[in-house]
Amino acid sequence: MKVNEIISIVEGNLLSKCVDLGREVKGGCGADLMSDVLASIQPEAVLLTGLCNPQVVRTAQMADVAAIVLVRGKIPPEETIELATEECIPLISSPYGMFELCGRLFQAGLNSLERPMSDQSPCDCER
Amino acid sequence: MSENSAVKGIIIDDQVAENITRVEELSYELKVGEVMTKNVKSLSPEMKMGEVLDFFRQDRISGAPVISNGSLVGVLSIEDLIHALIHSDMESPVGKYMSTKPITVRDSDQVVEALKIFVSTGLGRLVVVDNDAKMVGIITKGDITRGLLKALQREIQAEELRTYRASHLFEDIESDRTSLILRYNIKQGDFLRGGQASSHIKRALLRLGASPQLARKCGIAVYEAEMNLIIHTTNGGVIRAEIEPNKISIDAYDDGPGIKDIELALKPGYSTASEKVRELGFGAGMGLVNISRCVDNMKLESAWGKGTRLSMKLFLQEKEVVGEGRSSTS
C-alpha cells in the first residue's frame, strides 16, 4: 500500500512537506510508547500514535518508518512538522481514533508489523 | 505553517513532490544574476522594424532591450513586431513600436521576485539591471526553468559525490588500524534536539556504505543511549562513535549521577524516569533491553556518584564493511 492510499483511507491531512507519496508501506504499528516502537516495529511500517513531540519523528527515522499518522485530529507543535519535513517523513493527521484507524487500515489489507516480546531476534528485520 | 501546505485528503500523485518543494526553496536561494542570459544583443531606437525582423529571425529570439546612449529606453517584443507587420510599417523606427518604461529586476534580486513580476504582469521577459541601473542581461521564464534544473542537478551530483567519497574513505589510507571517530555532546534535558546525534551517526554510516539494516540497528541503539543521557544525567554526556571498516564501537558516557543497581536497571520494564519523560513516550524501562538486542556486545559500567559508561559494539561481516567502496544501496 502506498502513502497516498493511506492518506485517503484515514481521511488525513498531510502536514509535512518533502514527502514521497508513492513510498511503499509494508504494514502498520500503533503505539504511544516510543521504546515499544523501537523494540517492536519492522522497517517500512506506518506508525499510528497519539504522541506529537519531535521524538516521534526521530523514532520514525531511526526505525525506518514509512509514514506517521497522528490520531484524533491532533496537530503537533511546529518543531515536529519541521523535523518531519527535514527528514522527508510523511506526517499525517487523521480525525479518527487509534482503534478505528487500526481497523480501517487492517481491513484495507495492511498487516501488523509489530513483533511480540517473545520474539527476541535482533532488530535487523527483513526488508 | 501556511494554509496550502496542508493537503486535505490527499492527492498529488507526484513522485517528485520532494523536488518540487526544493525548487520552491531554490527560487529564494538563487539570484536573478545567476540564471539570466548575459551578453544580450540590444537594439537602437532608430533601427528600422524591417531590420529587427531579420535580427529576431537570425538569432531566434523573441524580444530585445532598446538602448540609447548607453541607457535602457525600452523593450521590443515579437508582439510589437507583429503590430508593425500588420500595418505593413516595416520602415518605421523601433522607437515607435517599443514599450517604454520597461519593468526591470536587479541581478541581486531573488529569482522568486522575477517570478512574481511574470505572474502579475503577464510579461515574457524582464530586463536585468545592476545597482547602477545599467543593463546586464535579460531574464525569461525559460531562463528560470533552466537555472532551477541546473541547480537541482548540481545538488544531486554533490550528494552522490559525498556518498561516493565517504564510501571509499578508508580505501586509500594505509595504517595498521584506521578508524573514524565521531563525537557528540549531549545536553541534559534537551528533548527538542534529542536524537540529533543518532540521526547524524545513522546518516554517516549510510554514506560510508553501511547496509540499511546495519544503519538501522546502530541508529536505534544510539538513539536509546542518547535519550538516556538526556533523561537521566546530571550534566549531560558524550556519545563517541568509532567506525572501523569491520567494527563499530559506540560509547555513551556521563559524569553522574550513576546507576545504583545495574542489575535492576537492565531488567525489562524497570525505570526511574519521571512522569514528564513518560509523557514523551520514553522511560518504559525498555531502552537498555532494546540496545542489547541491536548490538553484538553491550557493556554497562557505573558508579553511583561518579558516572556511567555504556559501551556498544557491532561487528561487521565481510560483505558489510564500511568505507571501502561498498555502496549502501547496492
Short mmCIF file of all heavy atoms in Angstrom, two decimals, chain B residues 261-282:
data_model
loop_
_atom_site.label_atom_id
_atom_site.label_comp_id
_atom_site.label_asym_id
_atom_site.label_seq_id
_atom_site.Cartn_x
_atom_site.Cartn_y
_atom_site.Cartn_z
N ASP B 261 21.81 0.40 41.03
CA ASP B 261 21.74 -1.06 40.93
C ASP B 261 21.70 -1.45 39.45
O ASP B 261 20.64 -1.41 38.82
CB ASP B 261 20.48 -1.56 41.65
CG ASP B 261 20.42 -3.07 41.69
OD1 ASP B 261 21.08 -3.74 40.86
OD2 ASP B 261 19.71 -3.60 42.57
N ILE B 262 22.84 -1.81 38.90
CA ILE B 262 22.93 -2.08 37.46
C ILE B 262 22.03 -3.24 37.05
O ILE B 262 21.35 -3.19 36.02
CB ILE B 262 24.40 -2.36 37.05
CG1 ILE B 262 25.19 -1.05 37.12
CG2 ILE B 262 24.48 -2.94 35.64
CD1 ILE B 262 26.56 -1.11 36.52
N GLU B 263 22.01 -4.29 37.88
CA GLU B 263 21.21 -5.46 37.53
C GLU B 263 19.73 -5.10 37.38
O GLU B 263 19.05 -5.52 36.45
CB GLU B 263 21.38 -6.52 38.61
CG GLU B 263 21.38 -7.92 38.05
CD GLU B 263 21.79 -8.93 39.11
OE1 GLU B 263 22.95 -8.84 39.59
OE2 GLU B 263 20.93 -9.73 39.47
N LEU B 264 19.28 -4.23 38.30
CA LEU B 264 17.89 -3.78 38.27
C LEU B 264 17.63 -2.92 37.03
O LEU B 264 16.60 -3.04 36.37
CB LEU B 264 17.59 -2.98 39.55
CG LEU B 264 16.12 -2.75 39.91
CD1 LEU B 264 15.39 -4.08 40.06
CD2 LEU B 264 16.03 -1.94 41.20
N ALA B 265 18.61 -2.06 36.70
CA ALA B 265 18.46 -1.16 35.55
C ALA B 265 18.33 -1.94 34.25
O ALA B 265 17.68 -1.49 33.31
CB ALA B 265 19.65 -0.21 35.46
N LEU B 266 18.95 -3.13 34.22
CA LEU B 266 18.92 -3.93 33.00
C LEU B 266 17.64 -4.75 32.88
O LEU B 266 17.39 -5.38 31.85
CB LEU B 266 20.13 -4.87 32.95
CG LEU B 266 21.47 -4.18 32.65
CD1 LEU B 266 22.62 -5.13 32.92
CD2 LEU B 266 21.52 -3.68 31.22
N LYS B 267 16.84 -4.75 33.95
CA LYS B 267 15.62 -5.56 33.94
C LYS B 267 14.55 -4.90 33.06
O LYS B 267 14.27 -3.72 33.24
CB LYS B 267 15.09 -5.69 35.38
CG LYS B 267 14.61 -7.09 35.72
CD LYS B 267 14.19 -7.14 37.16
CE LYS B 267 12.70 -7.35 37.23
NZ LYS B 267 12.17 -7.41 38.57
N PRO B 268 13.97 -5.67 32.12
CA PRO B 268 12.94 -5.08 31.26
C PRO B 268 11.81 -4.48 32.10
O PRO B 268 11.31 -5.12 33.02
CB PRO B 268 12.42 -6.26 30.44
CG PRO B 268 13.52 -7.25 30.46
CD PRO B 268 14.22 -7.07 31.78
N GLY B 269 11.42 -3.28 31.79
CA GLY B 269 10.28 -2.65 32.46
C GLY B 269 10.67 -1.81 33.66
O GLY B 269 9.86 -1.04 34.17
N TYR B 270 11.93 -1.93 34.14
CA TYR B 270 12.34 -1.13 35.29
C TYR B 270 12.79 0.24 34.81
O TYR B 270 13.56 0.37 33.86
CB TYR B 270 13.47 -1.80 36.07
CG TYR B 270 13.97 -0.93 37.21
CD1 TYR B 270 13.28 -0.90 38.43
CD2 TYR B 270 15.10 -0.12 37.06
CE1 TYR B 270 13.71 -0.08 39.45
CE2 TYR B 270 15.53 0.70 38.08
CZ TYR B 270 14.83 0.71 39.29
OH TYR B 270 15.25 1.53 40.30
N SER B 271 12.28 1.29 35.46
CA SER B 271 12.69 2.64 35.07
C SER B 271 12.57 3.60 36.24
O SER B 271 11.73 3.43 37.12
CB SER B 271 11.83 3.15 33.92
OG SER B 271 12.20 4.48 33.62
N THR B 272 13.45 4.60 36.26
CA THR B 272 13.37 5.63 37.28
C THR B 272 12.90 6.95 36.67
O THR B 272 12.97 7.99 37.29
CB THR B 272 14.76 5.86 37.92
OG1 THR B 272 15.69 6.19 36.87
CG2 THR B 272 15.25 4.64 38.65
N ALA B 273 12.42 6.87 35.42
CA ALA B 273 12.06 8.10 34.70
C ALA B 273 10.86 8.81 35.31
O ALA B 273 9.98 8.17 35.89
CB ALA B 273 11.78 7.79 33.24
N SER B 274 10.85 10.12 35.16
CA SER B 274 9.77 10.94 35.71
C SER B 274 8.52 10.84 34.84
O SER B 274 8.55 10.35 33.72
CB SER B 274 10.21 12.40 35.77
OG SER B 274 10.35 12.89 34.46
N GLU B 275 7.43 11.35 35.39
CA GLU B 275 6.16 11.35 34.67
C GLU B 275 6.29 12.14 33.36
O GLU B 275 5.77 11.76 32.33
CB GLU B 275 5.07 11.98 35.58
CG GLU B 275 3.67 11.67 35.16
CD GLU B 275 3.40 10.18 34.94
OE1 GLU B 275 3.87 9.33 35.74
OE2 GLU B 275 2.76 9.87 33.93
N LYS B 276 7.04 13.24 33.43
CA LYS B 276 7.21 14.09 32.24
C LYS B 276 7.87 13.32 31.10
O LYS B 276 7.47 13.41 29.94
CB LYS B 276 8.07 15.31 32.62
CG LYS B 276 8.13 16.35 31.52
CD LYS B 276 9.23 17.37 31.75
CE LYS B 276 9.50 18.10 30.45
NZ LYS B 276 10.87 18.47 30.25
N VAL B 277 8.90 12.55 31.47
CA VAL B 277 9.61 11.76 30.47
C VAL B 277 8.70 10.68 29.89
O VAL B 277 8.70 10.42 28.69
CB VAL B 277 10.87 11.14 31.11
CG1 VAL B 277 11.46 10.07 30.22
CG2 VAL B 277 11.89 12.23 31.41
N ARG B 278 7.86 10.10 30.75
CA ARG B 278 6.94 9.07 30.26
C ARG B 278 5.93 9.65 29.29
O ARG B 278 5.51 9.00 28.32
CB ARG B 278 6.22 8.41 31.44
CG ARG B 278 7.15 7.48 32.22
CD ARG B 278 6.51 7.04 33.53
NE ARG B 278 7.53 6.59 34.47
CZ ARG B 278 7.81 5.31 34.68
NH1 ARG B 278 7.15 4.38 34.03
NH2 ARG B 278 8.74 4.97 35.54
N GLU B 279 5.54 10.90 29.55
CA GLU B 279 4.61 11.55 28.63
C GLU B 279 5.23 11.72 27.25
O GLU B 279 4.53 11.79 26.25
CB GLU B 279 4.20 12.93 29.16
CG GLU B 279 3.03 12.87 30.12
CD GLU B 279 2.78 14.20 30.82
OE1 GLU B 279 3.20 15.23 30.27
OE2 GLU B 279 2.20 14.18 31.91
N LEU B 280 6.54 11.80 27.20
CA LEU B 280 7.22 11.94 25.91
C LEU B 280 7.36 10.60 25.19
O LEU B 280 7.88 10.53 24.10
CB LEU B 280 8.62 12.54 26.11
CG LEU B 280 8.67 14.02 26.49
CD1 LEU B 280 10.06 14.40 26.96
CD2 LEU B 280 8.27 14.87 25.30
N GLY B 281 6.89 9.54 25.83
CA GLY B 281 6.93 8.23 25.17
C GLY B 281 8.15 7.42 25.52
O GLY B 281 8.42 6.39 24.92
N PHE B 282 8.91 7.91 26.53
CA PHE B 282 10.10 7.16 26.95
C PHE B 282 9.97 6.75 28.42
O PHE B 282 8.96 6.98 29.05
CB PHE B 282 11.36 8.01 26.75
CG PHE B 282 11.72 8.12 25.31
CD1 PHE B 282 11.19 9.12 24.51
CD2 PHE B 282 12.55 7.18 24.73
CE1 PHE B 282 11.49 9.19 23.17
CE2 PHE B 282 12.86 7.25 23.39
CZ PHE B 282 12.33 8.26 22.62
#
